[in-house]
Amino acid sequence: MSERSEQSPAQKSWPVVGIFLIMFISGLAFSRDFVLPVLLALLLALVFRPVRTGLNRVGIPHALAAFAITGTLLVGLFSSAYVLSGPVERWIEDAPRIMARVERKIDALRDSVDAVAEAADRIDEMARRAESGSSDSTPRLEVEAQESSSIVTKVLTTTPVIVGQLMFTLVLLYFLLASGDLFYRRVVQITPNFRDKRRAMQIATDIERRLSRYLSTITLINALLGISVGVMAWLIGLPDPILFGLMAFGFNFIPYVGAIAGTVITFLIGFISFDQVSFAFLGAGLYFMLTSIEGQLVTPLAVGRSLKLNPVVVFLSVAFWAWLWSVVGMIIAVPVLVVLRVFCEHIPALENLGQFLISADQGAIRDAEAEEREFRV
């Protein structure tokens, strides 16, 4: 009886941890409209802090450097929106004609399917006569088209919210960058002893270094991928190659899901645009090939071993943040994992969790290094 009643502190803390996680996730979901832009601003501040530091070294003050960075981001966002507005407006205006063309192509496919079904019925009828069996199978193809007005209404209702969150993110980013090293000074001030101060500074510096390296490298790779996809779309005759390039650039920030979504959209647009379905498969295949080369060869070589994460954990993280915060959640899923991994490397209590975050090859390398250290001892 005494053995059951006596529990270790770790066993007693598990229910508290479980309740905390449930409340924490519920709080994130409830406060998404506020927490999401704040988190984005913090991540962007960590990414652009080296840029602001470089501008400070050439004599530009904190406020002016922060204004230059946020202004450049704002111009880039408005430029992208301006480039996208033309093709999107044209696609919306041509929606009735596009839907009519889709219906004609589906009718053609339906005729082919009906011909195959009719042949199958004849074969079944012959089989029933020969074996006195019965079989009745008639494939049906049903297609439901949504009206373009509902899409326009949804875009008009969600655009002000998105623009407001973007402006809030940029304003907060400006204040974070303009504050200089205030964050680091406050971290040093609130930690109780020198050991904790040193660890906190190491964590903050490591997070800044890794996030800057990861996001800058991924942004460059995605830009090159967008150019490659745009050239591919232009060569095979897809409409609006610039739109395809921007789509590939944005989608590739989302691991796994972005490549699949881009491939599907490329096929659908090719199906609408080309007279032959084979060209639609060609465009989708080339898009998938380019993203596969990027994901399997270019990114692993460019990112390096120190940022490799467990693919299963990455996929689960993308799914979790997509469920919690939709598309933007999928974009920040990997940066959040990078930050969590840094904490796991510097805090001994989180070391076991850190083992789940690293990739298999890096885990094998770490095990080999640990065995070598034990052998030397």
Side-chain angles (χ1 to χ4, degrees):
M1 184 67 180
S2 60
E3 294 180 356
R4 294 182 179 179
S5 60
E6 295 180 357
Q7 296 180 347
S8 63
Q11 292 175 337
K12 293 180 180 179
S13 64
W14 276 112
V16 178
V17 173
I19 295 173
F20 170 77
L21 288 176
I22 294 174
M23 296 180 64
F24 179 71
I25 294 173
S26 301
L28 288 178
F30 178 76
S31 59
R32 178 184 63 180
D33 294 337
F34 175 77
V35 177
L36 182 56
V38 172
L39 183 58
L40 282 176
L42 291 173
L43 291 175
L44 290 174
L46 291 172
V47 171
F48 288 105
R49 187 178 181 276
V51 179
R52 191 218 63 198
T53 303
L55 294 175
N56 296 151
R57 290 175 181 174
V58 297
I60 300 177
H62 294 308
L64 187 57
F67 180 79
I69 294 172
T70 54
T72 303
L73 288 176
L74 186 62
V75 170
L77 288 173
F78 276 108
S79 300
S80 300
Y82 177 77
V83 172
L84 289 173
S85 62
V88 171
E89 183 179 0
R90 186 165 57 252
W91 279 87
I92 292 176
E93 292 177 353
D94 294 341
R97 183 179 59 83
I98 293 172
M99 294 307 301
R101 187 172 183 178
V102 170
E103 290 178 358
R104 288 196 300 269
K105 290 195 172 186
I106 290 175
D107 290 337
L109 292 176
R110 184 179 300 170
D111 293 338
S112 301
V113 172
D114 290 339
V116 174
E118 184 178 356
D121 290 338
R122 291 180 180 178
I123 295 174
D124 290 340
E125 185 178 357
M126 295 173 62
R128 284 196 298 268
R129 291 178 181 178
E131 300 178 2
S132 299
S134 62
S135 176
D136 187 12
S137 174
T138 305
R140 300 177 61 186
L141 182 63
E142 298 181 357
V143 178
E144 297 180 357
Q146 296 181 354
E147 297 181 356
S148 60
S149 59
S150 61
I151 300 177
V152 176
T153 303
K154 187 174 182 180
V155 171
L156 292 176
T157 54
T158 56
T159 299
V161 178
I162 296 175
V163 173
Q165 290 184 341
L166 286 176
M167 296 305 298
F168 177 75
T169 301
L170 291 176
V171 172
L172 181 58
L173 173 63
Y174 169 79
F175 285 113
L176 290 173
L177 293 175
S179 62
D181 298 328
L182 180 62
F183 173 76
Y184 290 91
R185 293 197 299 268
R186 292 293 182 265
V187 168
V188 173
Q189 291 175 0
I190 63 176
T191 48
N193 53 58
F194 177 77
R195 181 180 179 183
D196 293 336
K197 295 178 188 293
R198 182 179 179 183
R199 178 183 295 177
M201 289 300 299
Q202 287 178 347
I203 292 174
T205 305
D206 206 0
I207 289 175
E208 175 189 316
R209 178 178 58 85
R210 294 198 185 187
L211 277 181
S212 299
R213 178 185 175 187
Y214 172 77
L215 290 177
S216 59
T217 304
I218 290 298
T219 301
L220 178 60
I221 292 174
N222 291 350
L224 296 176
L225 177 65
I227 295 173
S228 302
V229 170
V231 172
M232 178 271 296
W234 175 72
L235 289 175
I236 67 175
L238 284 169
D240 301 314
I242 297 178
L243 186 63
F244 275 92
L246 292 175
M247 178 189 70
F249 172 77
F251 278 9
N252 210 53
F253 281 99
I254 305 174
Y256 309 126
V257 180
I260 297 174
T263 303
V264 173
I265 292 175
T266 302
F267 173 78
L268 292 176
I269 296 178
F271 178 78
I272 296 171
S273 304
F274 296 127
D275 295 330
Q276 298 179 358
V277 183
S278 58
F279 284 95
F281 281 106
L282 175 63
L286 290 175
Y287 186 98
F288 185 76
M289 182 188 69
L290 291 174
T291 55
S292 299
I293 293 173
E294 175 272 327
Q296 301 299 324
L297 296 178
V298 179
T299 298
L301 292 175
V303 170
R305 191 185 71 185
S306 61
L307 291 178
K308 287 185 178 180
L309 298 169
N310 189 339
V312 177
V313 176
V314 172
F315 179 78
L316 291 176
S317 177
V318 171
F320 170 76
W321 288 103
W323 166 74
L324 194 65
W325 286 349
S326 187
V327 177
V328 182
M330 291 189 287
I331 296 176
I332 68 172
V334 175
V336 169
L337 282 180
V338 173
V339 174
L340 180 60
R341 181 181 170 184
V342 172
F343 277 100
C344 293
E345 290 180 355
H346 290 279
I347 300 176
L350 300 176
E351 184 177 358
N352 292 331
L353 176 60
Q355 295 297 323
F356 287 98
L357 300 180
I358 61 177
S359 59
D361 55 349
Q362 189 174 356
I365 293 173
R366 285 196 173 185
D367 293 339
E369 292 175 350
E371 291 179 0
E372 184 178 356
R373 287 194 299 267
E374 292 179 358
F375 178 77
R376 291 178 179 177
V377 174

